[in-house]
Amino acid sequence: APSGSSLMVSYLGYPGVAGGVHWDYTLADRVVLPPEHAKGIEEPLIYLPFSYQANDYAPSSPAILEQDLVPQKYIRYCNINQVDKYEPVSWGLWMNILRKTPGSTLALYRMRDPLGAHVVRHLSEEAEVRGIHPHRIKWFERLPRKQHAQRIASQCDLFLDHLLYGAHTTGADALWAAVPLLTISGWGGSLKDQAGRFSSRVGASLVRSLGMDKYVLMDTLRDFEDVAVTVPRHKLREVTFAATAREPLFDAGNSVSNVERALQAVYEVTLAGAYGFHVVSDPRQKRQSDRRRDCWRRQAAHALGGNEETPCLDDADYAVNIDYKNESDPGPSLERIREGTSHRFVAAYPQDPNALAFRGLSYHLNGDNEAAVPYLRKACGEAPWTSHFWFNYAHVLRQLERPHDAAAAYLTGYRVAGRGFADDAIRSNLEEAIRASCKVEKRSELDALFTLSALEPENDNRRLGVGAALDDLGRGSEALEEWFHAVRLRHATLQQQHTAANELRARTEAYHARIAARQRNKLVIAIFCDEYGQTWWPAWGPSSLATNGLGGSEEAVVFVARELVKLGHSVEVYNECADDDLGLDSYGIRWLRHATYQDEEPPDVFVAWRYHVSTAVVSPTSNVKVYAWLQDLPGYNSWTPTFCDGLSGIFTLSQFHTRSLPSHAQSKAYETPNGIDPTFLRDGMNKWDLFVYGSAPNRGLYDLLLVWPRVKAAIPSAVLKVYYGFSKAVVKWGKQHVPMFDEWRNEVERLLEQDGVILEGMVPHDTLAQAYASAGFYLYPTTYPETGCVSVMKAMAMGAIPITSRYAESVVPELTDVYDLGPASPRVAGTQVPVTLLNWRPPDPVDDAWRDAYASSIVDAARKARDGALDGHRRDMKAYARERFLWKHVAKRWEDHFLGK
């Protein structure tokens, strides 16, 4: 037992134990002295949670750049240990490795002469005896510490450890320089001590503490040799580099704290009279910590010029930095320090927005804006709610003379910053970027749009843009006036352009048909479908049903028109149909180009589909009943009381849709839901393990694909068929309205490659109907504000039971009624969630829990269907849907309203 008032603890100086003779305790870790071998050790041991060897390095020494990790043609081995660690087995092992890797080299440490010259001569002879040319042995002279570190980083690919007395500090030097340390799990010792000597296991301790043991810690010489020969050195160096800033091996502050706690425990144990027990310090300590990440954030900020916080990883590191600043060892340049520090940070934390931002800024400060852009953009994606990330990104884009992108980034940052943001420099940059964007790409905010509109008064697109800007600002009356002027201007311009013979012939025939219809007391109904460049389905018409299909809003026009004809009315549809659809179709509907609409001999009823501003083409003096047929949730600022009073009615698709209208417009609303055509009804197997998704990808597909692995794990036979996909229109819309759309799309397409997922894309309506009839369930975890949702109607009518989000701000709960098997608690996430990657979203434990519940709902429902428990449920649902969701009901309600019944 210790005597006196002091305790003697062995640490670092001697890699081993002394049989309890010379000191009271030995500091170790579970690798250098495995606990299962501690029974025969005389003195008590103090076990630290990670490597017993504390290591402290300046973050930028060496400053490793991406090009430093690029592999050379031949592999470069090294060992920088002193010559007194050499022994024949290790040397023979190294020579075997060199023989198996032609062109490779081995760098060794050269001692000062005269001993150095003797060692070089002797080892060169030993190499030659083993068939290795002495020129393949490279000799590293002594250098100042910083220069030595940089040399290892740039001239070594793999550090080959000794066996009996391995690398200690030299191993840590190599690892910090991103050079993997290939070592053995133990060597030497007696037959009773199969762990090997303490000194042979230090390398194992280092690589385990760095989290690299599965790559470079070997159990046998054969494994050591095989890995040295076949190692993917570039990848391994990248992994090593990333681990240095993340794993505990190089967390000096934490190592100091661990030793302090351990010594305090030993002192208390001894005072309590319990000397002789081994002491284990904090064995459950986590390998990675937020403190470590935050320290790197502060260090990277300091390297880039930020001085608002203490610029060190811990107290010890600052002293190391000062110690390194001497004339004989100046170290890397400021530019290299910036890039090297940020490179190490982002390698360790590749999804951390601060790491990404600092990496981008280091490139920017070093004059490489092109290289900065992807990092700054990804930082915005990882933390889109952080305004200064957007401002930094915008600043770099401005310097690259990309004014439109810069303006968009500034605007996003400005909106994220919120009201009250008053940075004059940022505001000035924003205004300049907008002006530049207007000049180069003809886009801007309201003032610039007004200026351009005044310069080009006949440009209807400009005036449409002015109207949109006014509407966004809540100036609805002005917006409506500007839009009406733009629509009339657009219509007049298009009429002059659309003079093809087939278009004029279709218009003339429609004009004569109007006269004939009135003579037979038929209503003439015109459905006007100009989409003002926003169409998702180019050249759509009745033939689309048999080719690439239609969206719910588009097919509504086709089917309600057919039912109105069956009721005895004359129906004209004005859109951008294909040439093959122009004229009278087999159902008696006349299809015309919207540009050819004329108010001469006007129709009895004019229905403005989707866009209320289309009512502008109707002459105010004509005696026409004018309706707005809404399909979406538009901005309602321009739906003024005066405008609504001029309408005969507003067709909405659901109770939810009606509630969304301004209060003064709700009295004009007439709910006429979308429907299905009975000729497309199909019966099928409704397989319990076949699932289908049949809507646009922005309406819940991403979240569905996130939970699919859990469904597949529970139901190995499960198959998910995805329809619709990324059409050109979806991509165009996404690029205009969704931040980081390309990244989101790439991730969705990656998830579509999961086992059991089949992307069917766009298909004819008959094919889609058969798919619904084959599937057991329709999956729809949407947070999109659906107003009509024909896809859910069809799925239910074909027997595919809906498992949805029950999203309250949509029509979905109205449609699915008691047949929805989704989670009982509706999803409450925001509308942008479906187009925001999971790691870009602010933390939302409620929505995370809902997704878990959704996956469980799918699995539970499928198992019930497998066992026949849902047969009655499915049968009742089909009967309900096939009666309720029919276009003939919609057409009859329209007719009643037109005739005032």
Side-chain angles (χ1 to χ4, degrees), residues 566-852:
K566 292 177 183 178
L567 292 173
H569 306 300
S570 177
V571 180
E572 303 165 359
V573 177
Y574 293 85
N575 72 338
E576 282 292 341
C577 62
D579 286 346
D580 290 342
D581 286 332
L582 267 177
L584 188 67
D585 71 8
S586 60
Y587 289 84
I589 304 166
R590 294 193 177 274
W591 293 85
L592 305 100
R593 299 283 161 72
H594 62 74
T596 63
Y597 175 83
Q598 289 185 332
D599 228 8
E600 300 171 15
E601 195 66 28
D604 301 300
V605 176
F606 180 96
V607 180
W609 173 81
R610 200 163 216 161
Y611 297 95
H612 70 301
V613 295
S614 292
T615 58
V617 303
V618 180
S619 171
T621 60
S622 64
N623 188 25
V624 178
K625 290 185 176 182
V626 178
Y627 293 82
W629 185 15
L630 292 182
Q631 298 291 321
D632 311 297
L633 290 180
Y636 290 118
N637 290 322
S638 60
W639 288 67
T640 63
T642 301
F643 169 74
C644 292
D645 286 343
L647 296 175
S648 300
I650 303 169
F651 291 140
T652 60
L653 304 181
S654 60
Q655 297 173 22
F656 159 72
H657 208 184
T658 299
R659 291 195 304 270
S660 73
L661 291 171
S663 57
H664 61 264
Q666 292 184 17
S667 61
K668 292 275 187 169
Y670 198 64
E671 291 167 19
T672 58
N674 283 334
I676 54 179
D677 183 4
T679 63
F680 282 89
L681 293 177
R682 300 289 183 273
D683 292 306
M685 297 291 293
N686 293 124
K687 299 177 183 176
W688 70 274
D689 56 354
L690 178 58
F691 306 85
V692 67
Y693 176 94
S695 191
N698 63 304
R699 302 188 182 187
L701 177 58
Y702 173 61
D703 288 281
L704 172 57
L705 294 173
L706 287 178
V707 304
W708 179 251
R710 280 173 267 181
V711 176
K712 187 67 175 174
I715 308 173
S717 63
V719 173
L720 170 64
K721 291 192 175 183
V722 177
Y723 293 86
Y724 210 116
F726 287 93
S727 66
K728 290 182 179 180
V730 170
V731 172
K732 178 182 177 182
W733 172 86
K735 289 180 179 294
Q736 291 176 344
H737 297 93
V738 179
M740 309 297 180
F741 175 79
D742 289 336
E743 288 83 349
W744 175 78
R745 176 188 176 187
N746 290 340
E747 179 62 9
V748 172
E749 290 180 336
R750 185 188 69 80
L751 292 173
L752 283 168
E753 297 177 359
Q754 296 179 84
D755 184 32
V757 179
I758 301 173
L759 176 61
E760 299 286 2
M762 298 291 190
V763 297
H765 273 232
D766 187 68
T767 304
L768 186 59
Q770 195 59 55
Y772 288 151
S774 299
F777 300 92
Y778 183 88
L779 306 184
Y780 202 39
T782 188
T783 58
Y784 186 81
E786 289 276 7
T787 55
C789 207
V790 173
S791 61
V792 168
M793 296 178 180
K794 290 180 178 179
M796 293 173 66
M798 312 298 176
I801 299 173
I803 303 178
T804 82
S805 59
R806 303 179 191 263
Y807 188 53
E809 296 303 312
S810 75
V811 71
V812 172
E814 293 179 43
L815 298 180
T816 57
D817 201 18
V818 298
Y819 302 103
D820 196 332
L821 298 184
S825 298
R827 195 176 185 190
V828 294
T831 57
Q832 284 300 104
V833 164
V835 288
T836 306
L837 291 180
L838 195 60
N839 58 355
W840 294 353
R841 304 176 188 174
D844 190 349
V846 174
D847 199 44
D848 293 343
W850 186 91
R851 280 197 306 277
D852 291 337

Side-chain angles (χ1 to χ4, degrees), residues 541-563:
S543 63
S544 303
L545 296 172
T547 54
N548 293 324
L550 281 177
S553 299
E554 290 75 13
E555 73 171 61
V557 175
V558 176
F559 291 121
V560 82
R562 290 179 179 179
E563 294 298 331

